[in-house]
Amino acid sequence: AGAGRLWGCAVSGREAPVWGGSMHSLVFLCARRLVSHHPSTRRALDLLPAELYPVLFQAAFLDRRTLALQDLVTTWPFPILSFQQLLGHHDQQHSSHHPSLREKPSKLCFQAVIMAVRWCQLRVLDMTDLQDFDTDRGPDRMSLWSGTVALAKACIEVSKHKNECQKRTSKRWKGPSGASTTPPPFGVEIRADLFVNGTSFGVLRDALQTSAAPLRLRCRDFRTEELSITGIVTLLESLEPVGVRRVDLRFNNLGPAGLCTVLPHLTRFTELVSLKLPYSNVDVRRLAPGTDTGLRQLAVQLGRFPCLKELNFGSSRLSGSLRQLLSDLQAPLESLELAFCYLLPGDFAFLHKSLHAPALRRLDLSGHNFTENLLQCLCQLLEKISTSLLHLDLMECHLTDARLADLLPVLCRCSRLRCLGLFGNPLSTPGLKTLVQKTVVLPDLRLVPSRLASAFGHLCEDVVDKERFAAVSAEVGRMLATSGRADAVWTSSLCRHSAPDYFTL
């Protein structure tokens, strides 16, 4: 009764379906108190309005009240339960949700929600956008890989349970005429991003191939690591084609021939926008002299994806072959990742004149040694794409203070630039200061991952001189604040401040 009076005082009228209030509001404090008493939660759910379910869910998730979460899910009054809406998007600058809800998700909470779905009236459980790559993750935190395993196991277990129930009830289930008939269909669509490797291959395969499963996995972003060609094809053929927007195949050692075997199985994904193929063992040096059959076939396969906007061939040796590889693409790319690809001036010249240049929003050229000749090619390319570019990565490119000084004029003409990755370049403290002073004119620049050579020692594998680093960081912070750019993040931590994904640009 006391809790009910508090709700009455805290809530007037009908709130929005997704709670967007402060985590310190009276409503949220009441929600935390209520979910902390499990028996009270079960009784209260019959009395509380549907609009309060989102804030109750947030409170239970934050405090890891797994029993309360199960009660909330089994009685969820809406057809869709979206983790992204309830727990907040990864764009923390514009999110009002509590950081703990999205930064370090609890494995037990996710498992509680998944297992409760079997008893609920939900039609869609949306678990996309839950990946988290924090390096300090503990064993109780949910990663994309462990989330995939939990989902797969739940699908298999619920399917077995449903089959057993159907066997027991099929004899008793009668239609209007008294004849035996099939019980009404039951199913919840689970939308998720899936990450699989050799360890989890078997359980995900079984989950995807479970026929007429009550829980239907609908993949949005699909990622594999270290799988055989047969394993990759098996999983690709088991995915429902609707809704797949990204396929990420990395560390699979496929080579051009293997990629040409796998890529035809992706054509059923008509909404495929992003294709990531880093570390795929593509090396033009291994092509037989005078022949380019493998690369040509690969280019033809890439041309079969009409909606493709993002392509990643990182850590492939493509020297002098970029024109041939991209020649069959049907539409301009908006994101192109070519880190450590050993590009030559001719490759830069092709990009400069290609249909992709005016559309490029993200470009990754990390790992290239920009000597004088290649640096000039880079400047010409940046000039061409300056009006569209939002994200540029030039990490570990041997950019000294002098080379950066030559690059800065054209860099400052990239007026829409939001993220500039310079980590791993040997910049001195004066070089960094110059970079800060010159780039404050870029109004949208928010994230600059970089590392000072002068703030690191060399006696013990780049052990940081913490005092010197702190002093330089403080000075950079003061420079940004003085320039009215205190909102910009200049960081040496790639883990704490990861670059935005293509879909969030």
Side-chain angles (χ1 to χ4, degrees), residues 167-347:
K167 288 179 181 178
R168 290 196 299 267
T169 60
S170 59
K171 294 181 180 181
R172 300 193 302 269
W173 194 272
K174 303 293 182 180
S177 63
S180 298
T181 185
T182 304
F186 165 85
V188 178
E189 176 183 308
I190 300 182
R191 300 172 184 170
D193 301 325
L194 304 177
F195 173 27
V196 59
N197 58 18
T199 305
S200 57
F201 167 78
V203 66
L204 182 60
R205 176 200 58 202
D206 294 345
L208 292 173
Q209 294 181 349
T210 301
S211 59
L215 303 184
R216 303 189 312 277
L217 273 178
R218 183 71 62 84
C219 180
R220 187 189 65 168
D221 296 349
F222 181 70
R223 175 180 169 184
T224 73
E225 286 188 5
E226 300 178 336
L227 285 185
S228 66
I229 293 177
T230 301
I232 294 173
V233 170
T234 297
L235 294 179
L236 290 174
E237 288 296 322
S238 301
L239 293 175
E240 291 192 36
V242 177
V244 177
R245 68 175 189 177
R246 168 178 285 163
V247 172
D248 186 343
L249 310 176
R250 60 181 63 200
F251 303 112
N252 294 297
N253 200 32
L254 296 174
L259 288 173
C260 288
T261 300
V262 170
L263 291 183
H265 298 275
L266 272 63
T267 55
R268 42 197 297 271
F269 306 136
T270 57
E271 302 170 52
L272 187 69
V273 173
S274 171
L275 180 60
K276 291 177 170 284
L277 304 170
Y279 305 98
S280 289
N281 195 25
V282 176
D283 190 343
V284 296
R285 298 175 305 172
R286 297 176 183 171
L287 299 176
T291 67
D292 55 4
T293 305
L295 204 61
R296 180 67 197 132
Q297 291 177 345
L298 181 55
V300 171
Q301 294 297 333
L302 292 175
R304 299 177 66 187
F305 305 110
C307 299
L308 196 64
K309 295 294 183 183
E310 180 177 44
L311 184 62
N312 181 341
F313 262 101
S315 297
S316 299
R317 279 191 174 266
L318 302 177
S319 307
S321 302
L322 200 58
R323 178 190 301 273
Q324 185 176 22
L325 185 64
L326 305 183
S327 59
D328 284 32
L329 293 180
Q330 300 183 34
L333 295 170
E334 295 182 359
S335 176
L336 184 57
E337 296 175 78
L338 299 171
F340 298 92
C341 284
Y342 299 89
L343 300 183
L344 301 177
D347 298 309

Side-chain angles (χ1 to χ4, degrees), residues 29-196:
L29 293 175
C30 292
R32 296 186 73 172
R33 180 61 180 267
L34 183 58
V35 298
S36 67
H37 297 83
H38 177 241
S40 300
T41 305
R42 298 187 64 176
R43 293 193 298 269
L45 290 179
D46 294 331
L47 305 174
L48 295 177
E51 288 82 356
L52 291 174
Y53 269 70
V55 66
L56 286 167
F57 186 94
Q58 291 177 348
F61 200 93
L62 179 64
D63 293 338
R64 303 187 187 184
R65 307 293 184 182
T66 55
L67 294 178
L69 280 172
Q70 290 180 331
D71 290 338
L72 286 163
V73 173
T74 54
T75 59
W76 195 254
F78 310 108
I80 298 177
L81 194 160
S82 170
F83 274 77
Q84 180 182 359
Q85 291 181 342
L86 290 169
L87 305 184
H89 195 274
H90 283 286
D91 184 2
Q92 300 183 17
Q93 283 186 318
H94 302 95
S95 175
S96 62
H97 297 85
H98 194 286
S100 297
L101 288 174
R102 57 183 181 270
E103 288 183 352
K104 296 182 178 180
S106 166
K107 183 184 299 185
L108 291 178
C109 288
F110 282 113
Q111 290 174 339
V113 172
I114 294 168
M115 297 312 296
V117 167
R118 72 173 78 180
W119 311 112
C120 71
Q121 299 301 314
L122 272 177
R123 286 294 162 259
V124 175
L125 174 63
D126 190 340
M127 302 184 69
T128 55
D129 277 328
L130 294 180
Q131 54 265 52
D132 172 17
F133 301 109
D134 285 347
T135 57
D136 61 346
R137 182 192 317 282
D140 63 331
R141 305 299 186 187
M142 178 69 79
S143 66
L144 184 57
W145 182 88
S146 60
T148 300
V149 172
L151 276 174
K153 289 181 177 179
C155 289
I156 295 172
E157 183 174 339
V158 172
S159 179
K160 290 179 179 178
H161 176 77
K162 192 67 176 179
N163 290 337
E164 292 172 359
C165 291
Q166 288 179 342
K167 288 179 181 178
R168 290 196 299 267
T169 60
S170 59
K171 294 181 180 181
R172 300 193 302 269
W173 194 272
K174 303 293 182 180
S177 63
S180 298
T181 185
T182 304
F186 165 85
V188 178
E189 176 183 308
I190 300 182
R191 300 172 184 170
D193 301 325
L194 304 177
F195 173 27
V196 59

Side-chain angles (χ1 to χ4, degrees), residues 429 452 454-457 463-476 478:
T429 300
L452 280 175
S454 59
F456 288 74
V463 174
V464 180
D465 181 340
K466 294 183 179 180
E467 292 184 1
R468 183 180 180 87
F469 182 78
V472 174
S473 297
E475 188 170 359
V476 169
R478 287 192 295 269

